[in-house]
Each structure stands twice: as C-alpha cells, then as structure tokens.
Amino acid sequence: MLKSVVRAVGAAVRLSTAAPPAARALQLSCPALCSPGSATIRPFTRSLWMLNNNGASSGYRPKLFSSKVLSPSVSCGCGGLHTEGDKAFGEFLLDEIKEEKKIQKNKALPKMSGGWELEMNGTEAKLTRQVSGEKIIVTFNVNNSIPPNFEEEVEQGQQQKSPEDEPEIVATPNFVIEVTKQGAKHSLVFDCHFPEDEMSHGDGEEESDIFAIREVSFQPEGDSDWKETSYTLNTDSLDWALYDHMMDFLADRGIDNTFADELMELSTAIEHQEYIKFLEDLQGFVNCK
C-alpha cells in the first residue's frame, strides 16, 4: 500500500486553505474528534494536505480558471482538453481507486442494532426508530467527518512507518437526535458530538461516555432548520445532575455508547463509499467518460 499517498484532489490542486462555513441545521456536518472505540477503521491513505488546518477545512476555495497552460493539449469529441497532465492524473486516480477498494472493509453498509431504519440522501443519513409511541430520528452528514488525526511528517532521514503502523481513519460526525411524542407540538432536539477525550459526568463511573450533548432545544416537529428563535440550552455550564438525567433519557431510548460505536462504524463505511465514488467520478470527468 502506498506510504502517505496524497489524496487525488490534493495531488492536483495543492490548496493552502479550504472549508465552507458551517451551517446551523438539524443535519449538522462539522468534524469532531473522539477516541475511536470499537468502530470500523481503515488504514490512513488520505493526504495530510486534505486533513490539516491548511487543507479542506479552512475556508479557501480554488479558482476555477487559470491563465497558465502547463502543456500542449488537444480536444476530443467531448469538447474537453486532454493534456499529458490529464493522462497522468487519470492513471493516478485509477491506482488510487484500486487501493481504496482493496482496503474497503464494508462492501455493504453495516446494520444498526435496535431496530433502526436507515435512509440515505447522498452524504446525509437518517436513522428512525419507534419506541412506545415515540418517534426517534437521528441525522448526520459524513461530509467533513474525518478528524485531523495524524502525526507530524517524518523528518529527513527517519525511517517511514509501515502501512500497518499508519494512523487509521474513523468518521466521527456530529449527529442530531429528535424525540417526538404523540400529540406534542414540538420535538425535543439534542445536538451531539464526539469529543476529543472521552467525557465522564459523575464520580465513580466505570465507563465514560464516548459522545456528548452540546445543546438541547425544542423545535417544531419535522423542520429541517434549527430555529434560532427557540431557546437553546448549552450544556457547557449545565449542572452535572441535569446533564446525567438527559444522558439517561437518551440511553432509555437506545442511544448509548453501543449506539455511538455503531454510528461511527456506519458513518465510516458511508464516508469511504462516498470517497471511492468521488474518485471514480473524478476519473470519469478527467478522462471525459
């Protein structure tokens, strides 16, 4: 397997900064850090450029047009240009796709235990479950869900790590939980994330929570946008006893550490599938196929 292989886009564009501003909605997609737990993971094959602060998450967008022509080019029936650089780019993408498929652990998406039904809309996933008259919906988006989990570049003269020793990729997306009761006008909504360190909210607990509640609010049922006019409770300054009751409330509805582990496994599989599909689409675009 390639050592620290650059991601396709990184090899072609080499941006210095990049990332869309985060939008506040029920389907959140900002990255978060966590301890991977038992989630499915795969070897770290993405480029460091794509994951560092100067790469895909800093706000810079590349220019679509450039006046610089790198090499003579010809056109084909598709009306596009075909340069030597395009040819090399396409060959690189082909090798990259083969490598990613070789290390892909989940050809089919893993199942969530507990009777959750999965719906997909591109990179957005929705899990739905009915519990004694209550409807529980968990939504997340795998875009930007890979945390920058890498070590410093190998110094000159230092031996490179083997593929087995490379860091492994785990998707840790923010996720939103919506609990709706029959006859209620509003849903109780929890904005959750995977913190960098496992969090514990009580003395003497043997097992810490691998996910955390960031904010809680009542929102109109079925609305996809988080209404800023609704009061939102931030848990940063919340009493631990109240916070623990909220975590117990979610655990009673099947959202606990086991659920969080399975969600990481599922989101990692989805993200990898979408990455491979992106590489295939990119290769088709470069080669005019």
Side-chain angles (χ1 to χ4, degrees):
M1 187 177 129
L2 300 176
K3 306 291 193 304
S4 302
V5 61
V6 290
R7 199 171 189 177
V9 180
V13 186
R14 292 296 180 186
L15 305 178
S16 60
T17 53
R24 181 62 181 284
L26 290 185
Q27 294 81 16
L28 300 176
S29 60
C30 300
L33 307 180
C34 79
S35 299
S38 61
T40 298
I41 45 185
R42 68 182 187 274
F44 187 92
T45 62
R46 312 293 179 83
S47 75
L48 298 185
W49 170 85
M50 200 63 188
L51 298 180
N52 66 20
N53 290 332
N54 294 324
S57 61
S58 59
Y60 174 77
R61 294 253 184 212
K63 294 181 179 180
L64 295 180
F65 303 99
S66 173
S67 59
K68 183 177 180 181
V69 179
L70 298 180
S71 61
S73 59
V74 296
S75 61
C76 70
C78 69
L81 298 178
H82 294 281
T83 68
E84 290 299 318
D86 292 343
K87 181 179 178 181
F89 192 10
E91 292 173 352
F92 170 82
L93 287 170
L94 182 61
D95 291 338
E96 182 77 356
I97 292 167
K98 290 179 180 179
E99 288 296 321
E100 290 295 328
K101 287 185 175 180
K102 188 182 302 182
I103 63 175
Q104 189 177 15
K105 293 186 177 181
N106 294 288
K107 305 302 179 182
L109 295 180
K111 300 291 185 180
M112 297 284 294
S113 63
W116 294 93
E117 296 181 3
L118 174 64
E119 295 180 35
M120 293 296 306
N121 180 19
T123 60
E124 183 181 272
K126 180 168 75 171
L127 296 167
T128 306
R129 184 188 186 202
Q130 301 281 348
V131 180
S132 300
E134 292 184 1
K135 184 178 182 180
I136 305 169
I137 299 175
V138 178
T139 55
F140 62 92
N141 196 314
V142 298
N143 278 336
N144 303 314
S145 63
I146 302 296
N149 180 26
F150 58 87
E151 299 179 357
E152 296 181 359
E153 295 182 4
V154 179
E155 296 181 1
Q156 187 175 4
Q158 185 177 350
Q159 186 177 3
Q160 290 186 344
K161 294 182 179 180
S162 64
E164 293 77 12
D165 296 329
E166 290 288 345
E168 296 171 316
I169 291 178
V170 179
T172 56
N174 283 12
F175 58 99
V176 172
I177 306 166
E178 182 180 355
V179 181
T180 304
K181 292 180 178 288
Q182 292 181 352
K185 296 180 180 179
H186 295 82
S187 300
L188 182 59
V189 181
F190 299 82
D191 175 9
C192 301
H193 71 116
F194 293 96
E196 181 177 0
D197 300 316
E198 293 183 352
M199 298 182 64
S200 178
H201 300 289
D203 296 330
E205 288 186 353
E206 296 181 358
E207 183 182 10
S208 59
D209 300 315
I210 64 175
F211 74 97
I213 303 170
R214 177 182 288 141
E215 293 179 337
V216 187
S217 179
F218 281 105
Q219 297 290 330
E221 180 185 356
D223 277 16
S224 59
D225 294 330
W226 187 295
K227 295 189 179 302
E228 299 293 345
T229 53
S230 299
Y231 178 78
T232 300
L233 177 66
N234 191 300
T235 61
D236 288 343
S237 58
L238 193 64
D239 177 78
W240 289 133
L242 177 56
Y243 183 92
D244 285 340
H245 280 297
M246 289 183 176
M247 291 296 288
D248 291 340
F249 177 87
L250 294 178
D252 291 340
R253 286 152 180 81
I255 302 174
D256 52 14
N257 278 354
T258 299
F259 172 88
D261 274 333
E262 292 181 354
L263 187 142
M264 283 192 292
E265 181 179 1
L266 174 62
S267 59
T268 300
I270 294 172
E271 198 279 338
H272 199 192
Q273 282 189 0
E274 291 296 321
Y275 177 55
I276 293 174
K277 182 178 182 299
F278 172 80
L279 294 180
E280 292 173 338
D281 291 341
L282 184 57
Q283 186 202 25
F285 186 86
V286 170
N287 295 335
C288 291
K289 292 182 179 179

